[in-house]
Amino acid sequence: MTKIQVKNVSKIIRKKDILKEISFTISSGEIIGLIGPNGAGKSTLLKLITGLIKPSLGEVLVNDTNIQNEFNKVANEIGFLIEEPSLYDRLNAIDNLKLCLKLHSKIDNKYLQYICKGLEINNFLNKKVKNYSMGMKQRLGIACSLIHNPNIIILDEPTNSLDINGIRQIRDLIRDIHDDNKIIIISSHILSEIEEICDRVLVLNNGLLVDDFKNDSIISKDNAFYIIQIESKGKEIDFIKNKAYIIDSDNSQYKIKVNKAELNMILDLIVKNGMTIVDIKVENSTLERHFIGRGDN
C-alpha cells in the first residue's frame, strides 16, 4: 500500500512563511488535485513531498519513511515534474529518457514504448531537445517523470504549453496508468481538468491548507442551484433578500440564486407576493464556482 503523510509541515524562505503547519494523508488509489491562487505555496509543497527541499518544521513520510532523511529508500517510488522540465538540450529525447531510467536503475523498453505512444512523442525521439517547442519539451518532461512506472506521480501544471489535443492526451494517460496502488497529485490552474480527473481536492491559500474535500461532494446533483428570473411589478422584494442571493437586477426584473433545499419555499414566496416568474434555470455546482465562491483567490 502506498501512502503519503504530511505532518505539521511549515516552510520559511527568507524569513517569509511559505507554508504554515500543513497536515494531510494521501492513500493508494487517490488522484489529488492541488489548487490555489498564485503564491499560495503549491509548488513549494510539491517540492517538499518529493524531497527536493526540506521543511523548516514537521515531516513528510512516504510509506512511513521520512523522505528528507532516507530519500534513496523511496526515490524509485516517486516520479515528478515540477515547474519546468529538466532536460539536456544537447541530447535527443530517447537519450534523455534512457538517462532517467538509469538513474532509477530501471530499464523497461516495453513500458518506455507505452509512455511514448501515450504522449505521442515517437515522431521526435531522435531530435535534439534544443530544437523542441515548449509543448514538445513539456511532453518529454512528463514522459521522464513516468517511465520508471512510479507508484507516486506528482505533476505541477502538466498541461502548460500544450494545445487542446495535448491536454486530452495527458488526461487520458493519467487515467490509463492510474491503479489502486498509485497516488497521483496534480497541481493546475485549469480547474475543469482537476474536476474531470481528480477525486479529491486540496486548496491552499497564503500557505495554509484551507480546504480538503472529495470532488463528488461539490460536483453533484444535490449541490445544484437555480437561477430564477422574476418580474416584481414595482413591488418590494425585501421579503426575499435574506433568503436568496440576488445576482442581477434591471428595473423591475431580478435574477436570484437559490439552492435546491430552499427552491419550493422561495417559489411560494414569489407567488404569494404577487410576482411573476419569468424563467428558471438549473445549474450544477462546479469546482470553479466553489473555488471562486470561497473568496480565497
Side-chain angles (χ1 to χ4, degrees), residues 22-291:
I22 302 289
S23 294
F24 58 84
T25 298
I26 305 173
S27 301
S28 296
E30 289 192 286
I31 304 180
I32 304 295
L34 180 63
I35 65 174
N38 291 334
K42 300 185 297 297
S43 294
T44 300
L45 177 58
L46 297 182
K47 289 176 182 177
L48 285 166
I49 294 173
T50 56
L52 292 177
I53 61 176
K54 294 184 177 181
S56 303
L57 295 169
E59 61 180 355
V60 177
L61 304 180
V62 174
N63 298 336
D64 298 320
T65 297
N66 187 307
I67 193 169
Q68 281 73 40
N69 297 337
E70 299 180 88
F71 176 77
N72 290 336
K73 189 175 178 179
V74 294
N76 283 336
E77 295 291 318
I78 303 172
F80 60 87
L81 173 62
I82 298 179
E83 293 181 338
E84 292 182 350
S86 297
L87 304 169
Y88 291 92
D89 282 350
R90 295 183 180 274
L91 299 180
N92 61 25
I94 197 69
D95 288 336
N96 270 277
L97 290 167
K98 287 183 176 179
L99 182 58
C100 289
L101 285 172
K102 287 181 180 178
L103 290 174
H104 290 283
S105 303
K106 290 184 176 182
I107 297 180
D108 185 339
N109 288 323
K110 186 176 180 180
Y111 195 75
L112 172 58
Q113 292 170 8
Y114 161 70
I115 292 297
C116 291
K117 182 180 179 181
L119 291 168
E120 293 191 6
I121 62 175
N122 283 318
N123 290 337
F124 50 87
L125 284 177
N126 295 311
K127 188 176 182 179
K128 287 188 177 180
V129 171
K130 67 180 181 180
N131 298 317
Y132 280 15
S133 66
M134 291 301 296
M136 292 163 65
K137 287 181 179 180
Q138 186 73 1
R139 291 173 191 244
L140 180 56
I142 293 171
C144 287
S145 71
L146 300 178
I147 53 170
H148 59 293
N149 196 13
N151 282 326
I152 297 172
I153 298 166
I154 296 175
L155 301 174
D156 186 15
E157 300 288 351
T159 56
N160 272 357
S161 305
L162 297 181
D163 57 20
I164 294 174
N165 189 49
I167 292 172
R168 176 189 56 78
Q169 289 164 357
I170 299 301
R171 183 199 312 142
D172 291 346
L173 184 61
I174 288 171
R175 286 172 174 159
D176 200 33
I177 63 177
H178 178 246
D179 60 40
D180 289 341
N181 197 45
K182 278 184 167 53
I183 288 173
I184 300 176
I185 305 175
I186 301 168
S187 171
S188 178
H189 285 99
I190 306 177
L191 298 186
S192 59
E193 288 299 316
I194 295 291
E195 182 178 313
E196 191 160 346
I197 298 172
C198 301
D199 47 44
R200 179 180 164 198
V201 179
L202 305 179
V203 184
L204 285 184
N205 190 40
N206 292 324
L208 295 169
L209 180 63
V210 295
D211 213 344
D212 178 353
F213 56 87
K214 294 289 186 181
N215 200 13
D216 59 9
S217 69
I218 298 299
I219 317 304
S220 71
K221 291 183 178 178
D222 289 336
N223 280 328
F225 59 89
Y226 297 81
I227 304 297
I228 306 173
Q229 185 175 347
I230 60 176
E231 175 70 53
S232 70
K233 298 179 180 179
K235 298 180 180 180
E236 292 294 328
I237 65 163
D238 290 343
F239 72 93
I240 216 168
K241 286 183 177 178
N242 295 326
K243 298 179 177 65
Y245 177 58
I246 300 172
I247 59 174
D248 194 16
S249 63
D250 182 14
N251 295 324
S252 63
Q253 289 204 353
Y254 294 84
K255 285 184 179 179
I256 59 175
K257 178 180 175 181
V258 181
N259 63 39
K260 186 177 180 180
E262 296 181 328
L263 176 63
N264 290 332
M265 178 192 70
I266 295 296
L267 292 177
D268 285 342
L269 284 173
I270 292 170
V271 173
K272 286 177 180 177
N273 283 271
M275 298 183 183
T276 301
I277 299 172
V278 179
D279 189 30
I280 300 178
K281 293 180 180 178
V282 60
E283 296 189 18
N284 288 324
S285 184
T286 66
L287 183 57
E288 182 175 357
R289 290 191 185 105
H290 177 75
F291 178 63

